[in-house]
Amino acid sequence: LFPESITTEQQSVVLVKRLLAISMSCITYMRGLFPESSYGTRYLDDLCLKILREDKSCLGSLQIVKWIQGCFDALEKQYVSGFFHFFNGTVTEMYQFKFKYKKKVPQMDICSNRREFVAGLCSRDVKQASRLLLRTLYLLMQDLGPLPNDITLSMKLLYYNHVTPKDYQPPGFKEDGSPGDLLFAGDPINLRVGSVSTDFHLMKVRVTTEKKRVRRADSNLIEKNGPTEISHQGLDCEEEEEEESTGINLQTLAFSQEEVVGPEKKRKVSEPEKLPLNGRK
């Protein structure tokens, strides 16, 4: 599933794209959006992963695959920070994927316990963090109560200001026609799924859903004081937050040492055509 080595920018891009695709596949599968025929099966250790594929008998899954491919284009160009959500008039459930792009700097080689500075995070630890993120996401999806029967799935992409051309739109996307605040239904709860850091990328995943839909959740995942109104600016601003503990000391230390590119982001927002999901499996 993941590159054998994650020491180049291209290998890092491949890892992040696969993490994004697997995560979105997990969400759509565990939330019961598409039939079994829309997924292939892969294994990550003892974890059975369901991966979206182009199922011509299911137009909804075909559309999601196109969305993911559009995200890949913006990710490769280092333009994007994105999220997508279900809504029924108001936002019902939201999954936020945040991306940062780094300049590579020397870091301590903790894997071999050497006291010298070398270039690179250990591929072994990056893969371990990736497994942990996917496992946490799967466990969280199992604990969420069902969605309403009639919902619409949408995706919105936000961009970094200094690199994104004003007229840029990923394949399958258009300029967002309603860039105002998003009103969340009910009493929201924010759940931090995790993050994966390589020498070139940082990817974070967060879930926001109605509190009543969470049957049980690890208290370490819960963020307090969740907003009921979500502005595009709030979703896209730089966060001064402490990184969640993943049990991997290298990840935490390396993050404190790396130089993360964090320019001011523009309020440019893209969206594809919204996808009604009536009569789900």
Side-chain angles (χ1 to χ4, degrees):
L1 285 178
F2 303 130
E4 286 297 318
S5 177
I6 309 166
T7 57
T8 68
E9 184 171 5
Q10 182 57 39
Q11 290 167 341
S12 180
V13 169
V14 170
L15 172 75
V16 173
K17 287 165 63 175
R18 289 183 183 175
L19 274 176
L20 176 61
I22 294 170
S23 297
M24 293 180 66
S25 297
C26 162
I27 293 164
T28 60
Y29 182 82
M30 298 297 288
R31 304 309 274 139
L33 302 188
F34 307 122
E36 191 77 25
S37 61
S38 296
Y39 299 88
T41 301
R42 298 287 297 273
Y43 287 89
L44 180 63
D45 299 331
D46 60 341
L47 186 63
C48 178
L49 302 175
K50 296 293 185 176
I51 313 296
L52 270 170
R53 59 187 178 188
E54 293 182 309
D55 178 11
K56 294 182 180 179
S57 66
C58 180
L59 295 179
S61 65
L62 278 175
Q63 188 65 43
I64 297 295
V65 170
K66 291 180 181 178
W67 292 5
I68 294 173
Q69 292 169 344
C71 290
F72 286 174
D73 184 82
L75 186 63
E76 289 170 351
K77 292 178 169 66
Q78 300 191 354
Y79 290 168
V80 69
S81 168
F83 68 92
F84 72 107
H85 59 268
F86 306 104
F87 70 94
N88 185 1
T90 55
V91 177
T92 302
E93 199 161 281
M94 182 173 70
Y95 299 85
Q96 184 180 0
F97 294 83
K98 298 197 73 172
F99 304 98
K100 293 182 182 178
Y101 311 98
K102 309 178 204 170
K103 294 179 180 178
K104 190 171 181 180
V105 297
Q107 296 168 0
M108 186 175 291
D109 183 8
I110 300 177
C111 292
S112 60
N113 294 318
R114 287 181 297 192
R115 293 181 176 272
E116 59 186 278
F117 280 79
V118 299
L121 288 164
C122 296
S123 297
R124 179 186 66 226
D125 294 280
V126 174
K127 292 179 183 179
Q128 186 177 343
S130 302
R131 293 187 191 99
L132 179 60
L133 185 147
L134 292 174
R135 190 176 296 276
T136 301
L137 184 60
Y138 261 81
L139 291 175
L140 177 59
M141 294 296 99
Q142 292 174 6
D143 288 339
L144 294 181
L147 289 163
N149 288 328
D150 295 328
I151 60 170
T152 300
L153 177 61
S154 183
M155 174 184 287
K156 295 180 186 287
L157 301 182
L158 295 90
Y159 301 91
Y160 284 100
N161 186 23
H162 75 305
V163 293
T164 307
K166 290 182 180 180
D167 59 351
Y168 171 76
Q169 296 295 343
F173 285 76
K174 61 181 182 179
E175 184 176 354
D176 180 27
S178 55
D181 290 353
L182 304 172
L183 181 62
F184 205 95
D187 187 10
I189 184 171
N190 296 310
L191 303 167
R192 297 169 64 176
V193 178
S195 64
V196 174
S197 181
T198 74
D199 286 325
F200 304 94
H201 298 87
L202 173 65
M203 171 177 161
K204 295 182 183 180
V205 182
R206 176 180 288 115
V207 177
T208 305
T209 188
E210 292 184 79
K211 187 177 294 185
K212 67 180 182 181
R213 199 170 285 129
V214 180
R215 297 178 179 133
R216 61 184 185 275
D218 187 336
S219 59
N220 292 327
L221 301 181
I222 298 174
E223 292 182 350
K224 297 181 180 180
N225 303 320
T228 55
E229 284 192 4
I230 308 164
S231 69
H232 290 154
Q233 179 162 345
L235 284 165
D236 201 26
C237 65
E238 289 296 318
E239 298 171 337
E240 296 297 333
E241 63 181 18
E242 182 180 354
E243 287 298 294
E244 59 267 34
S245 172
T246 63
I248 303 173
N249 294 333
L250 175 61
Q251 296 295 99
T252 303
L253 178 59
F255 183 79
S256 67
Q257 292 174 338
E258 68 207 5
E259 179 182 355
V260 178
V261 179
E264 180 184 354
K265 301 176 187 177
K266 61 166 65 178
R267 303 298 75 133
K268 174 181 171 66
V269 183
S270 296
E271 65 175 359
E273 295 296 329
K274 295 178 176 61
L275 179 62
L277 295 172
N278 304 329
R280 308 193 311 276
K281 68 169 182 172

